[in-house]
Amino acid sequence: MKSQKLVSIFTVILKLSLFVNIIMGIALITVAIHSTFSPTTYEKLEIKRNSYFFKHSCSSEISKNQIYSDSKSIENSGKEIYYFTKQDVATRISLVFSTLILLTFSLLVTRELLRFTSSLKNHQSMFLNSSKCFSRISIYLGIIFLFVFIASLIPLEIVSSFNEGGAIRTVSTKSFSFNVDFGLIVLLVFSLLLSAVFKEAERLRSENELTI
Amino acid sequence: MPIIVNLDVMMARRKISLNELSEKVDITPANLSILKTGKAKAIRFSTLEAICKVLNCQPGDILEWVDE
C-alpha cells in the first residue's frame, strides 16, 4: 500500500512537471514572438547568467574579443545585466531555439518516466517495459548532452549592460567556451544501468515462469 | 536443447492423459504441456519427485541428455 501511494505521488509530480514544461514552452514562444513586435514591453526582461544555456559547470574560456577599449573599467563598475531585447536577432533566436529543444527533450524524459510508473501496474510486462523506458531516457539524455556541448562551442555575441554612475553602458562581447555537464553524464549512465538491470530481471522472470 | 524430456513416452507407457497426470501431480496442464514439449527452462525436485511417484519411474526415464 505504501509503495502504491509513493508511485501515485510520483505520478502526480511527473504530470505536474509535464504540464509546467508545456506551459514554459508556450510562454517562451509567446515572449519571443511578442518581443519582436513590441520590444518596449520586454525592456527589463533579463537573461540570468546561471540559466541553463549560460551555465558553465566545467568550462574554459578560450578567447574573448572585447569591442570597447575601456571595458575593464566597465566590468568593475557594477552588476552585469543581460537584457533579452538588447541581444541581436541571431542570439535571441539561438537562445529561444536551444531552450525549446531542451524543453522538448526534458518533456520526452518526463513522458518516459510516466510510462515507467504506469508499467509498474502491469506485472507481466513490467520489467520489459521499464527496460525500454530507461533505454529511451538514456538516448534522450545523450541527445541533450550532445546538444548542450555542441551549442556551447558556437560563439555567441552577448550584449551586457552595466550601471555606471546611473548611466547604462552596453558592452558587446563574443565568448567561446565549452560546457560539459557531468550531472547529465551521471544521469545517462544511471539510466543505462537501470535499463540493463530491468532487462536482466525480465530474463530471470521468464526463466522462472518456465520453471515447472 | 541438450536435455530431452521423455514425459510423453512415459505417459503413453502408463496410459495416462495430460489432464489426469496434472491433477495427480498438482500442477496446471499448461505447465505440464510446457514440460512435455521441452520448452521448460528448469524443473523443481518436488515436481520431478511427484511425476516419478505418479508414473512409477526413475528421473532418468523422463530426462535424457544428448550431446548437441
Side-chain angles (χ1 to χ4, degrees), chain B residues 5-7 15 22 30 33 41 45-46 50-51 66:
Chain B
V5 180
N6 296 319
L7 187 64
K15 292 182 179 60
S22 69
S33 172
K41 294 280 179 205
F45 282 144
S46 54
I51 291 171
V66 288

Side-chain angles (χ1 to χ4, degrees), chain A residues 119-151:
Chain A
S119 78
L120 293 176
K121 292 172 194 164
N122 181 3
H123 295 289
Q124 279 293 101
S125 56
M126 182 176 92
F127 296 128
L128 190 64
N129 288 339
S130 303
S131 168
K132 284 180 184 170
C133 280
F134 281 106
S135 69
R136 280 195 284 256
I137 286 172
S138 64
I139 290 168
Y140 297 144
L141 288 173
I143 293 170
I144 292 172
F145 171 76
L146 274 172
F147 174 75
V148 167
F149 180 68
I150 292 166

Side-chain angles (χ1 to χ4, degrees), chain A residues 22-190:
Chain A
I22 294 167
I23 296 294
M24 274 171 67
I26 294 169
L28 186 67
I29 295 168
T30 311
V31 164
I33 295 170
H34 195 232
S35 67
T36 319
F37 297 106
S38 171
T40 50
T41 316
Y42 303 97
E43 241 173 20
K44 297 288 177 199
L45 179 67
E46 289 175 33
I47 310 161
K48 292 290 175 197
R49 186 79 188 179
N50 61 356
S51 67
Y52 196 85
F53 189 72
F54 283 119
K55 192 167 78 172
H56 290 234
S57 52
C58 168
S59 67
S60 77
E61 257 177 35
I62 293 166
S63 75
K64 203 169 183 178
N65 300 318
Q66 294 190 324
I67 294 166
Y68 287 88
S69 57
D70 58 343
S71 58
K72 266 215 166 109
S73 62
I74 288 169
E75 272 180 15
N76 293 333
S77 65
K79 190 182 142 192
E80 201 176 353
I81 307 167
Y82 310 91
Y83 289 113
F84 181 69
T85 47
K86 284 201 163 37
Q87 311 303 324
D88 74 4
V89 177
T91 307
R92 275 190 278 166
I93 290 172
S94 305
L95 285 172
V96 170
F97 186 63
S98 39
T99 312
L100 278 174
I101 288 180
L102 289 174
L103 277 173
T104 307
F105 280 100
S106 76
L107 200 135
L108 288 170
V109 168
T110 315
R111 202 182 68 147
E112 287 301 324
L113 286 171
L114 266 171
R115 271 194 190 155
F116 165 66
T117 54
S118 62
S119 78
L120 293 176
K121 292 172 194 164
N122 181 3
H123 295 289
Q124 279 293 101
S125 56
M126 182 176 92
F127 296 128
L128 190 64
N129 288 339
S130 303
S131 168
K132 284 180 184 170
C133 280
F134 281 106
S135 69
R136 280 195 284 256
I137 286 172
S138 64
I139 290 168
Y140 297 144
L141 288 173
I143 293 170
I144 292 172
F145 171 76
L146 274 172
F147 174 75
V148 167
F149 180 68
I150 292 166
S152 69
L153 294 175
I154 299 166
L156 269 184
E157 184 142 350
I158 307 294
V159 175
S160 333
S161 303
F162 297 89
N163 193 351
E164 204 191 35
I168 303 286
R169 274 211 181 192
T170 58
V171 176
S172 182
T173 59
K174 240 184 186 151
S175 70
F176 176 67
S177 61
F178 65 86
N179 181 9
V180 175
D181 196 336
F182 288 109
L184 264 177
I185 295 174
V186 167
L187 279 174
L188 198 151
V189 168
F190 189 62

Side-chain angles (χ1 to χ4, degrees), chain B residues 30-44:
Chain B
N31 279 347
L32 205 57
S33 172
I34 288 169
L35 186 64
K36 200 172 79 132
T37 52
K39 288 178 186 161
K41 294 280 179 205
I43 182 167
R44 294 186 184 92

Side-chain angles (χ1 to χ4, degrees), chain A residues 206-212, chain B residues 31 40-44 47:
Chain A
S206 58
E207 198 173 292
N208 192 44
E209 266 205 348
L210 293 171
T211 297
I212 311 301
Chain B
N31 279 347
K41 294 280 179 205
I43 182 167
R44 294 186 184 92
T47 310

